[in-house]
Amino acid sequence: MTGSRFPIDGDRLRRDIEDNAQFGAVPTDEGRGRTVLPGTKPNQRAREHLVDRMIVAGLDVTVDAVGNVAGTWRPDGCDPSAAPVAVGSHLDSVPSGGIFDGPLGVYAGLEAVRAMQDAGTTPTRPIQVVSFTGEEGTRFSDGVLGSSVAAGLTETETALERTDDGETLRDALLEIGFQGEGRLDAGDWHAWLELHVEQTDRLEEMGVTAGVVTTIAGTTRLHGTIEGEADHTGTTSMADRTDALAAASEFVLAVEQAARTEAERTDTTVATVGELSVDPGVVNVVPGEVEFSIDIRDVEKPVIDRLVTHAEETLQALETDRGVETTLDRSYDVPPVDMAPTCRTALHEAGRSLDVETVDVHSGAGHDTMQVATATDAGLLFAPSRGGHSHNPLEWTDWHDCAVTTSLLTEALSTLANSEDTAHPSQHS
């Protein structure tokens, strides 16, 4: 790279990520895995370590009621009353997840602040490094829990009363010492940036180190049932059966075909029936009931709505053709979100200033940024994922790519933190 105003310490960043990887580490035959679920001991240790690192860097650390951690840098000479620029991600993981998903963004944000400190610069605005609670949706919610509270999309008390195996989020946070006070308010921020691993192989295939996200795909999750009649497999004739699993099989294939048809046009459409629960689930009983879940994503909300309608119509047809009874609930519905032009421009300009190629990409995965973008200007930067692996121990981003994308993040963060734009964050496009 050339022309960097804030040389980052790649070794320091690597140590942070590797230190964090020990919390919840799981044995693997290949790669490096961790299980860090919200409100667990590994989560506690990861949080405590982050707080320690923030304090060493001179940040003022606060924890809100839902456990969102924020470290604020207000150097002498900045305007403490100016709307801050925030940066970060999350520390929780899926079971047996990788070591980069989330922690790269948190520790890249911290490294960006340290690089500015090392360079002796003073931004106009304060900078906040943030770690959100429960991004992955493994406990207490379907995902992006802490950021949805920060964005004002979920009430604090509603979030705290959500349960997992009989334990509320409030109790889980109290148990690990991270149930703070108040609400981290994303609407108070001038802007937000997040660095994340790409979780697919587009950047790797293009040979490009940095992807600037244009749109985060919307996500809709459907949960439903198909109810037939449980009967003895040996004494019930094929003509007399109402087999819930056979009907579900038709439904799964119909969902897949509809998504394939949409994807031929958009190249961004995906739909997955990822869960099936068969009752009674034994070899000598005709399945009487199937519970299922569907995940639908696209950058265009009308496409998502068409697939939901197709699912509804398919179930209605199965009721007529197979005599089953069905239900369908649209339990999770997050629309596609465009990234702010100001943030995208800052990231692309950072690439140009450092002589690092950047390309526009969309995100098929959901991120905390999609919630924050409803409250203030937001940008998302991708680092390459080797082989596209993510959410498993094979997830890997080369340390060089971590350093390069952190350098871009730092340049863009500095640009936004020195912006003279006086508009209130809620007035941003």
Side-chain angles (χ1 to χ4, degrees), residues 193-207:
L193 292 177
E194 179 177 11
L195 171 60
H196 204 279
V197 292
E198 187 188 20
Q199 302 178 286
T200 187
D201 59 1
R202 291 169 303 181
L203 293 177
E204 185 179 50
E205 288 186 348
M206 289 186 286

Side-chain angles (χ1 to χ4, degrees), residues 197-274:
V197 292
E198 187 188 20
Q199 302 178 286
T200 187
D201 59 1
R202 291 169 303 181
L203 293 177
E204 185 179 50
E205 288 186 348
M206 289 186 286
V208 177
T209 301
V212 178
V213 175
T214 56
T215 304
I216 299 177
T219 301
T220 291
R221 289 176 183 157
L222 308 175
H223 302 277
T225 61
I226 299 175
E227 186 174 352
E229 186 174 352
D231 282 304
H232 194 294
T233 58
T235 60
T236 308
S237 70
M238 299 305 293
D240 291 336
R241 298 183 180 202
T242 308
D243 187 328
L245 183 56
S249 299
E250 285 192 23
F251 179 69
V252 171
L253 292 174
V255 169
E256 181 191 48
Q257 184 55 53
R260 286 181 179 275
T261 299
E262 292 286 356
E264 289 176 358
R265 180 185 64 83
T266 67
D267 197 34
T268 57
T269 307
V270 292
T272 307
V273 181

Side-chain angles (χ1 to χ4, degrees), residues 20-26 33-47 66-67 90-98 101 103 131-141 145 164-165 167-169 171-173 175-176 178 391:
N20 183 79
Q22 68 183 310
F23 307 124
V26 296
R34 65 189 184 104
T35 298
V36 183
L37 309 185
T40 62
K41 286 298 181 182
N43 186 225
Q44 176 182 346
R45 295 177 64 202
R47 288 167 172 271
V66 298
H90 62 95
L91 291 179
D92 65 298
S93 78
V94 298
S96 297
D101 180 348
S131 175
F132 286 119
T133 294
E135 191 269 354
E136 294 290 6
T138 54
R139 301 187 74 198
F140 307 111
S141 77
L145 178 58
D164 179 74
D165 287 337
E167 182 180 40
T168 65
L169 175 64
D171 289 342
L173 291 172
E175 178 67 21
I176 66 171
F178 277 87
H391 282 192

